[in-house]
Amino acid sequence: MPFRLHFQIHLTDDCNQRCLHCYSTNREYYLDREQFDHILNEVLVYMESLAMVPGRAIFCGGEPTLSPILLDCMRKCSKAGFRWISLLTNGMSMSPAFARELLKAGCTRAQICIEGARETHNAIRNGSWDQVLRAWETCRRIGLPVVNQTTLHPLNCGQVDEVVQICQGKVDHVSFLRHVPHERDLGILSPSQWMDVLRTIYLAYYRDGQYENPFVSVKDIHWSHIFLTHTYHCDYMGRYPKTPIIDCNGDVYVCRRSNVVLGNVFRESLMDIFQTSKTLAQIRDRQNLNPRCRSCPRLDVCGGCRGMALAVHGDMMAEDPQCCLQEPSDGNTREFLRQKMNKMLPTFAGDISESFGKMFMKLIESLREFRSSPPTLRERRRIIRAAKKKGLSLSLREVQRTVDNFRAACGLNKAEDTKQWLRSHRISLEQFQDYLTFSLIQDKVENRLKASNGVPD
């Protein structure tokens, strides 16, 4: 399947707000139609030369609704085949009439954000709480999907649950991402604070079946890094970026938060910029990276946040100061892995207060018991019948995801490591998979029964 190309276009740097976490410089520069047409053509040529297909066109700023060409640009992207057209806005212009115009122009969603509870949000976004909630309601009433994305820093990192609860029933999706410091510095989360955020979201909001289309998500490389998913990548690490970002003056970025200009699309082609960029070449040569990132087995997925490294250390090649993949001896990481195991493999993970070693002994004992005395055919049929009655099923992907999380928690980086671990405990791969499959479907049934106060037939 061909990759989808997404591109982010800043129509203007002008804005009618001055939010504390924003990187916009308010130069009051506006793209005109001719300049936008040139940029769109460059994006299409770049996409076609790499055999990609149109994905998402993201309109932002500054405040993109201040641009007089916004609707026309959306129509052009829709005509060019972009499947999704997104608008990142503060919502000040979101009247019912304007929302209808957005829909007609091809807009498929609006991102309008809160940054915490009312008081926190108002301190960060210029007292705009009521305005945001009105914009949400307008979009929902008109039929324009609306999403929230909260930028996390020390001022609001303890309000994840409040943000999710506020968003419930009002927006279609809520996500979180880290704040990268700039001249209006709000500070950054410590590794333990960031781990607390990830743990809260993972344990509180990820249920069976939610991995495919979750209401809550994290837009950060660490989510992919820790949970072995492929939902978010660092575009610096690929040979050719799949999400070019183009500013209103033509400057080209891979990550806007890193604030590193790779070239200018008004002076050279997009393809030439990415092929000749010394910055990209330097990052992609892993020998230039710090020792910790360079030796990490997850480097190709994560890469470390180069923007965060630059902002904190002044060096893009330095390590991400919030990296959560610390040694298992770190108490915070060890506790989280216990919680993750408790979440993914509830039938043998044990209480999270148990020591790491005791947890795995319990796992081994459970596997051995399952091997020596597996459930009878009658017991299996009873569980399967209950699952079908509750409309529950188990996909191979869910089983594989559980295996992947188990391997990550055990430090089994290669398939051969996993086989050796199983051999050392006299457990076959088939027995292990069989155990996981039955345990997961049994857990699904039990959770559904608890939720409905029911009992198995």
Side-chain angles (χ1 to χ4, degrees):
M1 176 178 288
F3 286 107
R4 290 193 180 276
L5 180 132
H6 311 296
F7 88 101
Q8 185 180 110
I9 179 69
H10 293 247
L11 293 180
T12 178
D13 246 343
D14 195 9
C15 189
N16 44 16
Q17 285 192 333
R18 188 67 167 160
C19 303
L20 294 182
H21 62 282
C22 184
Y23 51 73
S24 181
T25 57
N26 282 82
R27 293 177 303 213
E28 299 186 9
Y29 188 95
Y30 287 78
L31 276 176
D32 60 32
R33 283 184 172 80
E34 184 178 351
Q35 290 172 322
F36 177 80
D37 290 345
H38 175 85
I39 290 172
L40 179 58
N41 183 66
E42 279 294 325
V43 169
L44 294 175
V45 170
Y46 175 75
M47 176 188 71
E48 292 166 3
S49 65
L50 297 176
M52 296 182 184
V53 295
R56 186 182 300 279
I58 306 164
F59 290 89
C60 50
E63 174 51 44
T65 61
L66 297 179
S67 170
I69 65 171
L70 170 63
L71 296 174
D72 189 33
C73 293
M74 284 185 166
R75 284 188 284 266
K76 289 176 179 178
C77 287
S78 182
K79 187 176 180 179
F82 281 89
R83 185 173 180 180
W84 304 283
I85 311 291
S86 295
L87 173 68
L88 277 58
T89 174
N90 57 31
M92 291 183 71
S93 301
M94 197 57 71
S95 66
F98 184 64
R100 293 188 186 96
E101 288 299 315
L102 288 170
L103 278 174
K104 290 178 183 178
C107 185
T108 57
R109 79 176 189 186
Q111 178 177 300
I112 311 170
C113 307
I114 59 170
E115 302 299 334
R118 177 191 288 267
E119 186 174 331
T120 302
H121 171 90
N122 283 336
I124 296 170
R125 283 190 178 262
N126 309 120
S128 61
W129 176 269
D130 292 334
Q131 160 198 309
V132 169
L133 267 59
R134 282 195 300 270
W136 283 357
E137 176 60 27
T138 296
C139 290
R140 299 278 287 181
R141 191 167 60 249
I142 298 302
L144 176 62
V146 61
V147 299
N148 179 86
Q149 181 166 278
T150 299
T151 303
L152 293 173
H153 41 71
L155 293 182
N156 63 0
C157 66
Q159 299 180 8
V160 167
D161 286 326
E162 290 176 83
V163 168
V164 174
Q165 291 168 14
I166 292 164
C167 289
Q168 289 278 2
K170 297 183 179 70
V171 304
D172 297 278
H173 179 77
V174 57
S175 61
F176 297 89
L177 76 165
R178 290 185 286 169
H179 170 66
V180 175
H182 48 74
E183 67 272 13
R184 296 188 299 280
D185 188 16
L186 296 173
I188 66 169
L189 303 179
S190 68
S192 62
Q193 285 177 313
W194 183 226
M195 179 66 88
D196 285 341
V197 168
L198 297 179
R199 178 167 49 229
T200 295
I201 294 172
Y202 182 76
L203 296 173
Y205 301 110
Y206 271 65
R207 309 297 183 192
D208 291 330
Q210 274 200 307
Y211 290 94
E212 302 302 323
N213 187 28
F215 175 67
V216 182
S217 69
V218 180
K219 297 292 185 69
D220 192 272
I221 53 178
H222 287 171
W223 189 261
S224 303
H225 209 4
I226 293 172
F227 301 105
L228 301 183
T229 64
H230 297 280
T231 58
Y232 202 82
H233 298 268
C234 176
D235 227 11
Y236 273 119
M237 302 309 294
R239 179 173 173 80
Y240 291 104
K242 298 178 180 64
T243 310
I245 300 169
I246 305 174
D247 207 349
C248 50
N249 64 349
D251 284 345
V252 176
Y253 304 81
V254 166
C255 173
R256 189 62 184 88
R257 294 185 295 163
S258 70
N259 206 31
V260 175
V261 178
L262 303 179
N264 190 287
V265 76
F266 295 143
R267 295 193 292 268
E268 52 190 324
S269 73
L270 201 55
M271 179 63 79
D272 286 344
I273 290 172
F274 292 139
Q275 284 182 330
T276 62
S277 169
K278 293 181 180 179
T279 299
L280 292 181
Q282 185 182 19
I283 293 173
R284 289 163 186 165
D285 183 352
R286 64 177 62 205
Q287 295 306 311
N288 294 322
L289 294 174
N290 66 87
R292 185 176 182 180
C293 288
R294 186 167 64 233
S295 61
C296 181
R298 297 287 290 167
L299 176 64
D300 291 337
V301 173
C302 171
C305 181
R306 298 299 111 213
M308 188 66 77
L310 178 64
V312 174
H313 301 298
D315 179 8
M316 290 190 75
M317 304 301 116
E319 67 180 52
D320 183 341
Q322 293 169 322
C323 178
C324 300
L325 284 189
Q326 302 165 32
E327 294 299 320
S329 59
D330 176 80
N332 192 44
T333 302
R334 187 167 63 251
E335 180 182 343
F336 174 65
L337 290 176
R338 283 199 297 269
Q339 291 177 327
K340 184 170 68 169
M341 288 291 290
N342 194 41
K343 173 78 172 175
M344 296 304 298
L345 305 173
T347 54
F348 59 69
D351 189 85
I352 63 173
S353 62
E354 292 183 282
S355 71
F356 213 39
K358 285 184 179 179
M359 184 189 72
F360 284 110
M361 285 305 299
K362 193 167 184 176
L363 160 63
I364 294 166
E365 291 169 4
S366 297
L367 280 167
R368 286 175 174 166
E369 182 180 347
F370 185 85
R371 180 188 61 191
S372 61
S373 181
T376 64
L377 181 61
R378 183 177 180 180
E379 289 172 329
R380 284 175 176 269
R381 285 177 175 172
R382 178 170 170 267
I383 291 294
I384 292 172
R385 187 169 63 249
K388 287 182 177 179
K389 188 171 182 178
K390 295 294 180 181
L392 301 173
S393 62
L394 187 67
S395 69
L396 291 175
R397 189 170 181 177
E398 286 177 288
V399 176
Q400 185 60 52
R401 185 181 290 111
T402 304
V403 172
D404 288 343
N405 277 274
F406 164 76
R407 288 173 56 188
C410 293
L412 304 173
N413 297 319
K414 300 179 181 178
E416 186 54 42
D417 295 337
T418 305
K419 293 177 182 178
Q420 180 60 40
W421 187 91
L422 292 171
R423 282 196 297 269
S424 68
H425 295 95
R426 299 181 181 179
I427 299 166
S428 72
L429 182 61
E430 290 74 19
Q431 289 169 335
F432 181 53
Q433 291 175 331
D434 195 29
Y435 176 76
L436 289 182
T437 301
F438 184 70
S439 297
L440 287 170
I441 194 66
Q442 179 176 258
D443 188 56
K444 278 191 172 187
V445 171
E446 289 176 353
N447 286 339
R448 182 65 65 83
L449 289 172
K450 287 177 183 177
S452 61
N453 295 318
V455 293
D457 295 330

